[in-house]
Amino acid sequence: MRGKFITIEGTEGVGKTTNIEFIQSWLEAKNLAFVCTREPGGTPLAEQIRELLLAPRDEIVCSTAELLLMFAGRAQHLHQVIKPVLSEGAWVLCDRFTDATYAYQGAGRNMRTDLIAELEMLVQGSLRPDLTLILDIPVEVGLKRASARSEPDRFEQEQVEFFERVRQGYLKIAEENPDRCVIIDASSPLKAVQRQITVALEAFWFSSEESNA
Ligand code: T5A
C-alpha cells in the first residue's frame, strides 16, 4: 500500500522548520516509517537548484525561469525520493511542495495558474499530497521572525505586498481543497500551534485507518 504524503506550507518565517520537528516526533510515536524532505531541494541536484533560486543576485530572475527551476528540482525530487518512498509504503513529510508554486509564482508573481497546472501534470501526473498543513500568520509577523533568524534570501528581499499576495494564494488553495488542506493559526504561541497540528494529524490518521479497514 502506498504511503501517505504530508506537506507543510506557509509564508516566510511561519514556523515550518520548527513544527516539522514536532511532526516527526508524532510520526515516530505512531511507529511509522517516513522520510522528511524539503522543496526546493531534497536531492543533491535539487539542492543545487535551491541554491540557485535562493541566492540574492543583481540580475533580475525572470519569473518563467524561476517557475521552470522549481519544477526541474521537483521532477528530480519526485523521481529520486518521493515516489520510491511512497511506493515502499513509507510516509513522506515535505517542507513545501507545489502549493508553494501556486502561492509564490502564481499569486505572488502573477503567473498564469493554467500554465502551472500544465507543468504540475507533466511533472507529477496525478500525484498530490494527502494532507497539507498551511501555517497562516500575518505577513509582518512572519517576516520579523525570519529576519531575526537569518540574513534574507532572494525571496525574503521581496516587498510586503508580494507576501500578502502569497498569503492570499495559500488561503485560496485551502478554500478550494478543503478535504486535503488544514489551516493552522501560526501566530499563537508554539504550544498552541502544536496542539492544532496534533488535532489535524490525529483526524487524518483516524480517517486513513478507517479507509484501510
Ligand atoms: N518557493 C518554494 C517558491 O517560490 N516556490 C516553490 O515552489 C517552492 C517550493 C524556500 C523559498 O522558496 C520559495 C518560498 C521560500 O521563499 P524555505 O526555506 O522553504 O525557502 O522557506 P522559508 O519560509 O524561508 O523557511 P524558513 O525556514 O525561513 O521559515 P520557517 O521554516 O517557516 O520558520 P522557522 O521554523 O525557521 O521559524 C522562524 C523563527 O520563528 C520562531 C522560530 O523559533 C524561528 O526563530 N517561531 C516562533 N516564534 C514564536 N511563536 C511561534 N509559534 C513560533 N514558531 C516559530
Side-chain angles (χ1 to χ4, degrees), residues 57-121:
R57 56 185 75 239
D58 296 334
E59 180 182 27
I60 294 173
V61 178
C62 138
S63 299
T64 306
E66 184 179 278
L67 175 69
L68 292 172
L69 283 169
M70 288 296 173
F71 272 109
R74 184 161 301 136
Q76 184 67 19
H77 190 203
L78 278 159
H79 172 77
Q80 200 170 318
V81 179
I82 298 177
K83 284 185 179 172
V85 169
L86 291 175
S87 58
E88 278 166 17
W91 290 34
V92 171
L93 171 60
C94 193
D95 184 343
R96 297 192 187 279
F97 193 61
T98 307
D99 290 320
T101 313
Y102 281 103
Y104 281 77
Q105 282 66 51
R109 304 262 190 245
N110 295 311
M111 296 204 74
R112 280 171 43 195
T113 47
D114 60 321
L115 293 180
I116 299 176
E118 276 186 36
L119 289 168
E120 181 180 36
M121 191 48 76

Side-chain angles (χ1 to χ4, degrees), residues 1 34 57 63 80 94 113 116 122 137 143 173 211:
M1 204 188 328
F34 68 93
R57 56 185 75 239
S63 299
Q80 200 170 318
C94 193
T113 47
I116 299 176
L122 172 73
I137 199 176
L143 289 174
I173 290 168
S211 57

Side-chain angles (χ1 to χ4, degrees), residues 19 145 184-196:
N19 286 298
R145 283 186 192 169
I184 306 289
D185 173 7
S187 58
S188 328
L190 196 54
K191 283 271 175 231
V193 173
Q194 292 177 342
R195 268 198 300 276
Q196 295 173 66

